[in-house]
Structures are given as C-alpha cells and as structure tokens.
Amino acid sequence: MDFGNHLLEMAKLAAAKHELEPALVIAICEVESGFNPLAARHEPSFRYIVQKSDKPANCSLATEINLQKTSFGMMQVMGATARDLGLKGWITILVDPETGLEWGCRYLKRQMKRYESLGLDAVIASYNAGSPVYNNGRLQNQDYVDKVKAAMK
C-alpha cells in the first residue's frame, strides 16, 4: 500500500470512529491540504485564542499564541480549536496523520451537532469559519463549501 492509500484509509477509519460520512472527511482533507499531513498555515488575524491552555511548560506564551493561530495537518485544524477541544501538550502533534485526523474529526463532529439542522452546506461552512455566516442569503465562504462538495463526488 502506498502512502496516499494509507492516508485515505486512515481518513476513512477516523470518519467511521466519529460516525461521520467518509466522503466528507476525505473531501475536507483534499480541499484543506491536498492530503498533506505536514501542511501548516499561520493565520495571524485569527482572533480566538484559548487563554487557559495545557501548553508544555517549556513553551513560551508567544509561541503558544502563534501555534494557536496556525492550522495543521490534513484537515488543517487550528491550534486554538484543538486546544478548545482539549488537546494537551505541543499543538504541532497535529501534523501526525492519525492525531490530526482525530482532532479534525472531533471538530467536524461538534460542528455537525451544532449546525446539521441548517443543512450540509452550513456544516461545511462552519468547519472552515467556525460558524455559518450568511451575506444576502449566501454563505460567506460558499466557494469553500462548493469545493468540498465537489470533492465529495
């Protein structure tokens, strides 16, 4: 089995564990990172920092804040999101494929519970933006939603 197929199988297992549609998890991995487990993107304007976090003792506050403002792994989980969900230790562990998928699926499951009554588009939009935001009846990040839905096919 090559590395790509192995990552695909890992995504399917993570989806099943969290009772999520595998096609949705796979599509998010494809759109967010092209299935690159080492992907990282710093987002300096990200505003939601978890104040009381379980950062390592040898991690400075400045480093912790920067890590919380960075998305990691195949599902591009924000460090702050992982902290909010309970991740302890170094946030950079999210580049480990199994760990990144675990925390990405935890977040997706939380968003599913919050927004599934609004439909799949709202769930996908909230995965990307924290909540579905509408402007004139259209999701603010509709292009992202459309990419994920196209990748699901």
Side-chain angles (χ1 to χ4, degrees):
M1 177 181 331
D2 69 20
F3 193 59
N5 285 335
H6 180 66
L7 293 175
L8 185 63
E9 290 306 312
M10 288 176 71
K12 289 177 183 177
L13 288 171
K17 176 182 175 185
H18 292 277
E19 299 177 333
L20 294 165
E21 179 63 41
L24 177 58
V25 172
I26 291 166
I28 287 173
C29 290
E30 181 61 38
V31 171
E32 288 286 348
S33 71
F35 260 91
N36 180 358
L38 300 177
R41 180 177 53 241
H42 186 250
E43 300 182 27
S45 62
F46 189 78
R47 301 181 311 237
Y48 306 102
I49 301 301
V50 177
Q51 297 299 320
K52 293 184 178 182
S53 69
D54 290 311
K55 70 177 185 64
N58 60 341
C59 178
S60 71
L61 181 58
T63 298
E64 173 69 12
I65 289 170
N66 279 314
L67 290 174
Q68 285 194 32
K69 290 182 170 197
T70 302
S71 57
F72 295 94
M74 292 187 296
M75 294 185 77
Q76 288 292 279
V77 179
M78 292 300 297
T81 299
R83 282 283 188 247
D84 186 47
L85 291 168
L87 180 70
K88 295 173 176 31
W90 284 98
I91 292 171
T92 53
I93 190 67
L94 293 169
V95 299
D96 169 71
E98 190 173 351
T99 304
L101 285 164
E102 171 64 26
W103 291 93
C105 286
R106 285 184 188 195
Y107 178 58
L108 180 57
K109 186 67 173 188
R110 182 174 79 179
Q111 298 307 88
M112 184 77 69
K113 288 179 182 177
R114 287 180 173 173
Y115 300 111
E116 69 184 331
S117 65
L118 300 176
L120 181 60
D121 285 13
V123 171
I124 295 169
S126 74
Y127 182 85
N128 176 252
S131 63
V133 177
Y134 294 90
N135 290 329
N136 298 322
R138 180 176 158 82
L139 285 162
Q140 184 174 334
N141 57 349
Q142 187 66 53
D143 291 344
Y144 173 83
V145 172
D146 293 342
K147 285 179 188 176
V148 171
K149 288 177 77 174
M152 288 177 70
K153 296 180 179 179

